[in-house]
Amino acid sequence: MKTRITEAFGIEYPIFQGGMAWVSEAKLAAAVSNAGGLGIISAMNLDADYLRGQIRACREATDKPFGVNIMLMSPHVEEVAQLVMDEHVPVVTTGAGLPEKYMKQWVPAGIKVAPVVPSTAIAKRVARAGATAVIAEGCESGGHIGELTTMALVPQVVDAVDIPVLAAGGIADGRGIAASLMLGAEGVQCGTRFLCANECQIHENYKKKVLAARDIDTQVTGRRLGHPVRGLKNPMMRAMHDMEYDSSKTNEEIERYGAGALRRAAIEGDLETGTFMAGQIAALVKKEQPAAEIIREMFAEAEKLLAEAPKWLA
Amino acid sequence: MKTRITEAFGIEYPIFQGGMAWVSEAKLAAAVSNAGGLGIISAMNLDADYLRGQIRACREATDKPFGVNIMLMSPHVEEVAQLVMDEHVPVVTTGAGLPEKYMKQWVPAGIKVAPVVPSTAIAKRVARAGATAVIAEGCESGGHIGELTTMALVPQVVDAVDIPVLAAGGIADGRGIAASLMLGAEGVQCGTRFLCANECQIHENYKKKVLAARDIDTQVTGRRLGHPVRGLKNPMMRAMHDMEYDSSKTNEEIERYGAGALRRAAIEGDLETGTFMAGQIAALVKKEQPAAEIIREMFAEAEKLLAEAPKWLA
């Protein structure tokens, strides 16, 4: 499948693997890149030493393009923003903020930038700042989310900018890819489906929880704090949710309560106090399998649907 | 376009016009049915006398199939549930609850029932109870909403039931229709796009507000009460939202504060204290035009996208 996304990023399939904190490590990213997608390492809220190690591990495992996701609220954002230039990382995606300040350096340095955008206004801003593409991510996705859904956001972003758009949120099979193309996107970014890739090194409890998830098993917390997060329902998510509706609790208390929960989920598999980020499409993840098989399966299904689409015309 | 939806409901285009309280009156429903879709009258929370008048007005204006949407939380649900049988209404859609109790009478009476469902579990229940189709409605839609988005909900419901599925939420043009078909739906239900149909008799201020809406201009209130509602941001929505995060306010106080707000929006055009229900796709509504033109435009675009879909295969 050829789109402006495959051309611009030099990849075989128009699919990015989302940058997920404590999940998207070099091993998963390299596996996705080797399979013809764009693997992405998450810089999360760790420092340049961590990221340097990940970038080098990824380069040892693949000679294909890969990316780094920079979380703009990270306390180490300045040093990791510099590191991706020093290391000549081919692609940077950004989340949780406005990347223009950093794009002023990245774009002239030849880094292809694809920010995650929650609205048309932000899509237009990053397009003006030289983005190669934008990732229009709907609130059905796991992790930090915006307000708009994929179905509503993607066509509006497509109308707002001339650069190619990747759809993200709620996509875990070929139907989601084919639907995204109909909405005007030219590629997709998937997170949840890759949680159960063999190469994904999260705790076994996390994978089990994703495999057991039903459609209604995710929940959003953090709306009151202004940065909502979607994850799988568990005691931690329920406690956070209850605290938000208790106005005797300060925002600082709630933040403190949630601190470290992602790590506890992904590394320790702590079912009680971890936050297991996953999207509403988790129920479509049926088994653990190699990243390459995930990508081949998804695109085989999408290609069949697109080839057969004219059947609907009476 | 022929799908199991057009066949089962005897309509030319697989599109339902959503049943919206204070919006979906006989004039709009008849216009949609005359244009080859399925027009739907909202029974909202009014009594059988109101609905009887609407059904008869619709029948005077069209000889095509039409439907009635029954809001199961209505204080008059028993009498309107009986009335649709007495009046031999061809189609009933339901919202805000479980319709099985009423389906026991409707289905044997030959009424085709298409409940709005927010999850796979409820889709399976109504399919067992004899539904002709289900409407999988994502939370990007206006009015009362569930938790799942269209992109996430539709494929999961398609996998869960054998009856045909209509996608709803976030669909206002041909891209949304084509995407819905890729997700496995065989039709769509649209609400927001029909708000600005010429035949829609809502207050001019309401139409203006929809035409002026940007992507980020909707807001959800009522999450704390367990029945979230999406509408266009205004002083009323902001006040409701603030009350929800104030635990000194009881749920009853919040409910009381919101009472009558839909009517004040649709009939009086009260920009301060009305609730202007609309979906996240409102920004795609660009002008007031006849319902027939809306439908023709949407399907012309969808058909073009489906015909050209094989172009994506390299």
Side-chain angles (χ1 to χ4, degrees):
Chain A
M1 195 180 292
K2 267 197 183 60
T3 71
R4 287 190 292 166
I5 294 295
T6 55
E7 284 167 30
F9 294 92
I11 52 181
E12 191 184 347
Y13 296 101
I15 184 169
F16 286 14
Q17 156 255 316
M20 300 169 276
W22 299 104
V23 172
S24 301
E25 298 177 306
K27 186 173 176 185
L28 175 61
V32 169
S33 287
N34 280 330
L38 188 83
I40 292 178
I41 297 162
S42 171
M44 48 178 167
N45 55 1
L46 295 184
D47 63 16
D49 285 341
Y50 167 80
L51 184 58
R52 189 180 298 107
Q54 289 289 313
I55 291 169
R56 292 181 181 178
C58 189
R59 282 215 159 103
E60 272 175 36
T62 186
D63 53 7
K64 300 274 184 72
F66 66 96
V68 166
N69 176 255
I70 296 187
M71 209 265 287
L72 297 166
M73 280 171 13
S74 163
H76 302 284
V77 60
E78 299 295 337
E79 55 179 290
V80 297
Q82 180 61 45
L83 181 70
V84 293
M85 291 193 293
D86 298 344
E87 290 285 332
H88 306 288
V89 168
V91 179
V92 167
T93 66
T94 62
L98 290 169
E100 288 137 299
K101 173 184 164 192
Y102 306 104
M103 289 174 71
K104 278 182 194 155
Q105 298 179 287
W106 294 337
V107 173
I111 295 178
K112 287 166 187 151
V113 186
V116 173
V117 298
S119 68
T120 55
I122 294 177
K124 284 182 196 172
R125 284 179 64 160
V126 300
R128 272 198 300 270
T132 299
V134 288
I135 304 167
E137 185 179 79
C139 61
E140 49 269 82
S141 73
H144 286 87
I145 57 174
E147 285 292 326
L148 276 90
T149 71
T150 303
M151 198 76 160
L153 181 62
V154 171
Q156 297 188 60
V157 170
V158 166
D159 289 345
V161 296
D162 293 324
I163 54 176
V165 176
L166 293 114
I171 303 164
D173 66 9
R175 293 177 290 188
I177 296 172
S180 297
L181 290 169
M182 293 297 106
L183 293 176
E186 297 180 46
V188 297
Q189 174 168 289
C190 300
T192 303
R193 178 80 194 253
F194 287 113
L195 288 171
C196 291
N198 289 131
E199 299 88 350
C200 179
Q201 300 179 94
I202 54 174
H203 195 281
E204 194 191 345
N205 287 354
Y206 197 160
K207 293 193 179 187
K208 280 186 182 159
K209 225 171 142 55
V210 172
L211 292 172
R214 295 167 306 165
D215 56 340
I216 56 168
D217 283 344
T218 73
Q219 184 174 8
V220 176
T221 64
R223 282 204 177 97
R224 181 177 124 187
L225 310 176
H227 45 88
V229 166
R230 183 181 300 286
L232 294 165
K233 288 176 183 169
N234 75 342
M236 179 69 189
M237 292 293 280
R238 279 188 284 271
M240 289 280 286
H241 183 263
D242 291 348
M243 285 174 82
E244 284 186 75
Y245 283 112
D246 178 352
S247 41
S248 78
K249 303 283 182 200
T250 65
N251 285 359
E252 292 65 36
E253 276 177 279
I254 302 175
E255 298 270 15
R256 249 196 328 273
Y257 189 80
L262 296 183
R263 192 189 166 284
R264 288 198 298 275
I267 308 300
E268 298 168 24
D270 182 336
L271 296 169
E272 297 294 315
T273 76
T275 296
F276 296 84
M277 290 187 175
Q280 288 185 339
I281 208 73
L284 290 191
V285 184
K286 312 279 193 199
K287 61 178 174 187
E288 208 175 339
Q289 61 191 145
E293 194 178 294
I294 291 172
I295 294 174
R296 279 198 308 269
E297 260 185 34
M298 288 180 71
F299 279 89
E301 187 184 19
E303 284 168 10
K304 187 166 184 292
L305 286 167
L306 294 165
E308 293 174 355
K311 78 175 179 185
W312 292 111
L313 308 176
Chain B
M1 196 181 290
K2 268 197 182 61
T3 72
R4 287 190 293 166
I5 294 296
T6 54
E7 283 167 29
F9 293 92
I11 52 182
E12 191 185 344
Y13 296 101
I15 185 169
F16 288 14
Q17 156 255 316
M20 300 169 275
W22 299 104
V23 172
S24 302
E25 297 178 307
K27 188 174 174 183
L28 176 61
V32 169
S33 287
N34 279 331
L38 189 82
I40 292 178
I41 297 162
S42 171
M44 47 176 167
N45 56 0
L46 296 184
D47 63 15
D49 285 341
Y50 167 79
L51 184 59
R52 189 181 297 109
Q54 290 289 313
I55 291 169
R56 292 182 181 177
C58 189
R59 283 215 157 104
E60 272 174 35
T62 186
D63 55 6
K64 300 275 182 72
F66 67 96
V68 166
N69 175 255
I70 296 185
M71 209 266 288
L72 297 164
M73 280 173 12
S74 163
H76 302 285
V77 59
E78 298 296 337
E79 53 179 294
V80 297
Q82 179 60 45
L83 182 69
V84 293
M85 292 194 292
D86 298 345
E87 291 284 331
H88 306 289
V89 167
V91 179
V92 167
T93 66
T94 63
L98 289 169
E100 289 138 298
K101 173 183 163 194
Y102 305 104
M103 290 175 71
K104 278 184 192 152
Q105 298 179 289
W106 294 338
V107 172
I111 294 177
K112 286 164 188 153
V113 185
V116 173
V117 298
S119 68
T120 56
I122 293 178
K124 284 183 195 170
R125 283 179 65 161
V126 301
R128 274 198 298 271
T132 299
V134 287
I135 303 166
E137 186 179 79
C139 62
E140 49 271 80
S141 72
H144 286 87
I145 57 173
E147 285 292 328
L148 276 90
T149 71
T150 302
M151 197 78 160
L153 180 62
V154 170
Q156 298 189 59
V157 170
V158 166
D159 288 345
V161 297
D162 293 324
I163 55 176
V165 176
L166 293 113
I171 302 162
D173 66 11
R175 291 177 289 188
I177 296 172
S180 298
L181 290 168
M182 292 299 104
L183 294 176
E186 296 180 45
V188 297
Q189 174 168 289
C190 301
T192 303
R193 178 82 194 251
F194 287 113
L195 288 172
C196 292
N198 288 131
E199 300 87 350
C200 180
Q201 300 178 94
I202 55 174
H203 195 281
E204 195 191 343
N205 287 353
Y206 197 160
K207 292 192 180 185
K208 280 185 183 160
K209 227 173 141 52
V210 172
L211 292 172
R214 294 167 306 167
D215 56 339
I216 56 168
D217 283 343
T218 74
Q219 184 174 9
V220 175
T221 64
R223 282 205 175 98
R224 180 176 125 188
L225 310 176
H227 45 87
V229 166
R230 182 180 301 284
L232 295 166
K233 288 177 183 168
N234 74 343
M236 179 69 188
M237 293 293 280
R238 279 189 283 271
M240 290 280 287
H241 183 264
D242 291 347
M243 286 173 81
E244 285 186 74
Y245 284 110
D246 177 352
S247 41
S248 77
K249 304 284 182 197
T250 65
N251 285 359
E252 292 66 34
E253 276 177 280
I254 303 175
E255 297 270 16
R256 250 199 324 274
Y257 188 79
L262 296 182
R263 192 188 167 285
R264 287 197 300 275
I267 308 299
E268 296 168 23
D270 182 337
L271 296 169
E272 297 295 314
T273 75
T275 296
F276 296 83
M277 291 187 175
Q280 289 184 338
I281 207 74
L284 289 191
V285 184
K286 311 279 192 199
K287 61 178 175 185
E288 208 175 338
Q289 60 190 145
E293 194 178 294
I294 291 172
I295 294 174
R296 279 197 308 268
E297 259 185 35
M298 289 180 70
F299 279 90
E301 187 184 20
E303 285 169 12
K304 187 164 184 294
L305 286 167
L306 295 165
E308 294 174 355
K311 77 175 178 185
W312 291 111
L313 309 176

